[in-house]
Amino acid sequence: MPAEPATVISLPQAAAPASPRRVSDLTEQRGTRRVSFTPKYGSDAVEVDVRYLWCGAPDAPTVIVQGGISADRDVCAGRERATGWWEALVAEGAAIDLSTCRVLSIDWLVPEDIGGVVSVSSEDQATALASLVDELGIGRVQAFIGSSYGAMVGLAFAAGHPGKLKALVLLAGAHRPHPLSTAQRSVQRGIVRLGLASGRTGEALALARQLAMTTYRGSEEFSRRFAAGPELRDGRFHFPVEDYLEHAGRRFVERFDPERFLALSESIDLHDVAPEQISAPTTLVGFPSDRLVPLADLCELQRRLGGTATLEVLDSPYGHDAFLKETVQLAPVLRQALNDCCGDR
């Protein structure tokens, strides 16, 4: 694909200096850089176009922020976009404060992006990020903050490129997938493959997303929101939860490609990093209601990490999606973790 030119945005400076830092002091690059590396499931080096966002205070330390497989590089609001997928936590004055750091984020790569290899690995994503860090002249990031799949990639980054980061902050992600979670995702992928084979791709992708939503959210939330009885509609009984699931499926189909879903879902289940290889100080965040990444897996990860590690446990009814929903609870945890690693620059 042709390289997307980097867009560098600097809003006009006000005449008089101000303190603390103003919005007008922030800069943004949103573009593409070409890097080269050998994919885990390939035999030769390939050139890869990495789509990235790098925004915040100029000359401030860089923090990588990556989310789940459906997240993109637009982690925060910006001049050309009104929203970002984690905008409550990444903004001026927020827990990840754009007035004191620069946030770097990429769009996830898929096999088509890296030479058509059979699968993309969490190590490939990590290597792409490490190469981008070099291309941008960053050298070393202060922290890698990863949620869900992003946490897996953060672990791969720390294991494979230890000199390029100071600290890890990992939310709802572990060193390996839980076998029951792999089973659930395998069924989702089977539904999508059946849809591709039968020509009913949209329906299949929507159904796979509906099934995924039952794993992302917690039992308590479903009990509270969908306890009402069914109603007779269009000749059959319709349960309250169905409207929610059907809406989630439709929205996903509108913005996601089935081949991309298959590749990134499989990448989660291929992930396997030895925690003992990681020496970076690590903050882990887990949720008791998370059925995809059980607390027991995070406890094991904490025990096995080669460096110091703390585990923050936050109660939430939202299951795995708590990292998206519990912004008020997460803010002080993230702020403290960044203060600990950025206190001495």
Side-chain angles (χ1 to χ4, degrees):
M1 60 173 279
E4 174 189 351
T7 302
V8 182
I9 301 171
S10 294
L11 299 182
Q13 297 285 334
S19 183
R21 192 183 296 275
R22 302 179 304 271
V23 173
S24 57
D25 292 321
L26 304 185
T27 63
E28 177 178 303
Q29 288 185 31
R30 189 179 190 279
T32 301
R33 290 291 180 104
R34 180 159 292 178
V35 302
S36 178
F37 63 88
T38 301
K40 180 175 181 178
Y41 299 109
S43 56
D44 300 310
V46 294
E47 291 192 334
V48 179
D49 291 317
V50 182
R51 298 173 294 276
Y52 73 95
L53 174 72
W54 190 28
C55 62
D59 303 320
T62 292
V63 174
I64 294 174
V65 178
Q66 294 291 148
I69 64 170
S70 59
D72 57 19
R73 58 181 152 169
D74 291 327
V75 63
C76 59
R79 185 172 180 177
E80 297 179 357
R81 60 192 180 281
T83 62
W85 62 263
W86 228 21
E87 61 185 38
L89 292 169
V90 183
E92 257 198 305
I96 304 171
D97 189 352
L98 294 180
S99 67
T100 60
C101 72
R102 295 186 79 175
V103 163
L104 178 65
S105 186
I106 67 168
D107 288 345
W108 294 126
L109 300 172
V110 294
E112 182 182 1
D113 298 321
I114 52 177
V117 293
V118 63
S119 294
V120 62
S121 68
S122 57
E123 291 94 336
D124 294 337
Q125 313 284 7
T127 301
L129 275 161
S131 300
L132 181 62
V133 164
D134 287 339
E135 277 288 314
L136 295 175
I138 296 169
R140 186 187 192 207
V141 299
Q142 288 293 109
F144 191 124
I145 302 176
S147 302
S148 190
Y149 183 57
M152 294 177 163
V153 173
L155 286 163
F157 188 98
H161 312 277
K164 292 190 182 300
L165 86 162
K166 189 172 181 181
L168 276 174
V169 184
L170 308 176
L171 298 82
H175 51 298
R176 58 166 177 77
H178 192 281
L180 180 58
S181 301
T182 296
Q184 293 162 338
R185 282 185 293 267
S186 294
V187 174
Q188 295 164 31
R189 294 194 294 271
I191 292 169
V192 173
R193 292 188 186 107
L194 185 60
L196 288 169
S198 64
R200 303 177 69 177
T201 306
E203 294 171 77
L205 185 59
L207 190 59
R209 180 63 170 185
Q210 291 180 46
L211 180 57
M213 294 305 297
T214 68
T215 69
Y216 294 153
R217 297 301 181 95
S219 300
E220 181 183 339
E221 182 196 8
F222 271 65
S223 178
R224 184 182 68 241
R225 292 179 61 180
F226 308 116
E231 63 178 47
L232 191 60
R233 189 193 308 171
D234 299 327
R236 72 169 180 89
F237 283 105
H238 198 93
F239 297 87
V241 72
E242 291 182 70
D243 289 331
Y244 165 78
L245 295 176
E246 289 168 5
H247 175 70
R250 285 193 303 271
R251 285 187 59 196
F252 193 68
V253 170
E254 289 169 1
R255 65 187 181 87
F256 224 76
D257 175 82
E259 297 291 353
R260 183 174 184 83
F261 168 78
L262 288 174
L264 293 175
S265 172
E266 182 179 67
S267 186
I268 293 174
D269 292 322
L270 290 170
H271 170 75
D272 189 5
V273 171
E276 294 81 3
Q277 297 176 350
I278 297 169
S279 59
T282 303
T283 300
L284 302 171
V285 181
F287 309 96
S289 59
D290 186 349
R291 292 174 292 174
L292 281 180
V293 185
L295 276 180
D297 285 5
L298 294 183
C299 291
E300 179 189 342
L301 173 58
Q302 182 190 20
R303 288 194 305 270
R304 292 177 56 189
L305 280 167
T308 59
T310 60
L311 173 59
E312 302 284 345
V313 178
L314 303 181
D315 282 326
S316 170
Y318 297 114
H320 188 69
D321 273 0
F323 78 88
L324 294 169
K325 302 286 287 183
E326 297 289 4
T327 56
V328 173
Q329 284 201 77
L330 286 171
V333 175
L334 294 176
R335 201 182 299 274
Q336 183 61 54
L338 287 177
N339 284 342
D340 290 344
C341 72
C342 297
D344 56 327
R345 294 184 185 173

